[in-house]
Amino acid sequence: MTLSCMCFGLFIWMAAASLATIQATPYVLYTKINGSETITCECPDHSCQEVFWYRYLERTKTLQFLLYCNSAGRERHGENLSATRFKGLVSSGQRVVYTLRITGLQENEIGFYSCMFKTKNTMPVGYYIMPGVNPPTVQPPTVKTKTPKKTCNCKPPMSPKGCEQSVLWPGIGALLLLAITLAGTLYYFSRLPKKCRHRFTKTNQLR
């Protein structure tokens, strides 16, 4: 049994064991035909010494082993895959980062691309690569403009009750003034002596 067959068998077993751990949404990459993409898988520590790259092709509904790579830079490609199109790279620092460079992407290679670590029972988020597909256009959000409210400076019409009051009070004032004048006149005549009242009455009769 060749190394590629052993790697593929191990890859299938690990894929079945770790499918339940996929929770996050993969990154979507829109690529031109014959374009290239670089995808990465990060390990939080130095325990990830080996990685398996794979893809799930959407059109054929097939799972395909792409590349095996270890921390020493050793590579093994899957069957019928060009080593010039699929290149692996590893870099180590505080964490180990595995990189896969894919060139010459075609429309029939639309699918999900990701990796799995041999010593970790986890599967990274992964990438959904779509060669030849245009990204969706995002429409700008519509902004609602508030229409200004019209303000009326006119005074409200006077109620009939108010009109009655405005006419009634001057009339009452005039009646009070007339009553006071009449009362004063009567009081004046009541204080005059009887002779004066008789002369005043007679003089008025002669006129």
Side-chain angles (χ1 to χ4, degrees), residues 131-204:
V133 178
N134 296 322
T137 56
V138 180
Q139 296 182 353
T142 57
V143 180
K144 294 182 179 180
T145 56
K146 294 183 178 180
T147 55
K149 295 182 179 180
K150 295 182 179 180
T151 56
C152 181
N153 296 324
C154 56
K155 295 182 180 179
M158 189 176 295
S159 62
K161 187 175 181 180
C163 294
E164 291 176 358
Q165 293 177 357
S166 61
V167 174
L168 184 61
W169 283 112
I172 292 174
L175 290 176
L176 288 175
L177 181 62
L178 181 61
I180 292 171
T181 305
L182 182 60
T185 304
L186 292 175
Y187 177 78
Y188 173 77
F189 277 102
S190 65
R191 299 285 294 176
L192 288 175
K194 292 183 178 181
K195 288 184 177 182
C196 294
R197 282 185 284 175
H198 178 71
R199 291 176 182 176
F200 180 77
T201 307
K202 188 175 182 181
T203 305
N204 288 337

Side-chain angles (χ1 to χ4, degrees), residues 109-125:
E109 293 181 294
I110 295 176
F112 177 73
Y113 292 69
S114 188
C115 72
M116 287 185 297
F117 300 112
K118 184 177 179 180
T119 56
K120 298 282 185 180
N121 190 23
T122 58
M123 183 179 293
V125 176

Side-chain angles (χ1 to χ4, degrees), residues 9-163:
L10 181 61
F11 158 73
I12 294 296
W13 177 80
M14 292 177 62
S18 59
L19 279 177
T21 62
I22 301 178
Q23 296 178 354
T25 305
Y27 303 102
V28 181
L29 303 176
Y30 298 93
T31 312
K32 296 180 180 180
I33 300 297
N34 293 322
S36 60
E37 288 291 351
T38 302
I39 57 179
T40 59
C41 281
E42 295 185 5
C43 180
D45 49 43
H46 290 269
S47 62
C48 306
Q49 300 297 316
E50 296 174 293
V51 67
F52 296 89
W53 289 98
Y54 71 95
R55 67 181 176 182
Y56 181 79
L57 298 175
E58 184 179 295
R59 289 193 174 182
T60 58
K61 309 297 181 183
T62 56
L63 185 66
Q64 186 180 17
F65 167 70
L66 298 177
L67 180 68
Y68 161 84
C69 182
N70 61 14
S71 58
R74 186 180 179 183
E75 295 183 1
R76 283 291 184 272
H77 289 79
E79 294 182 358
N80 302 323
L81 291 178
S82 172
T84 58
R85 290 191 57 215
F86 299 88
K87 294 183 179 181
L89 181 66
V90 58
S91 59
S92 60
Q94 293 182 350
R95 57 180 61 186
V96 181
V97 180
Y98 291 91
T99 303
L100 176 63
R101 175 75 173 175
I102 310 172
T103 58
L105 285 163
Q106 302 299 316
E107 192 174 357
N108 60 355
E109 293 181 294
I110 295 176
F112 177 73
Y113 292 69
S114 188
C115 72
M116 287 185 297
F117 300 112
K118 184 177 179 180
T119 56
K120 298 282 185 180
N121 190 23
T122 58
M123 183 179 293
V125 176
Y127 301 82
Y128 200 82
I129 301 178
M130 305 180 69
V133 178
N134 296 322
T137 56
V138 180
Q139 296 182 353
T142 57
V143 180
K144 294 182 179 180
T145 56
K146 294 183 178 180
T147 55
K149 295 182 179 180
K150 295 182 179 180
T151 56
C152 181
N153 296 324
C154 56
K155 295 182 180 179
M158 189 176 295
S159 62
K161 187 175 181 180
C163 294

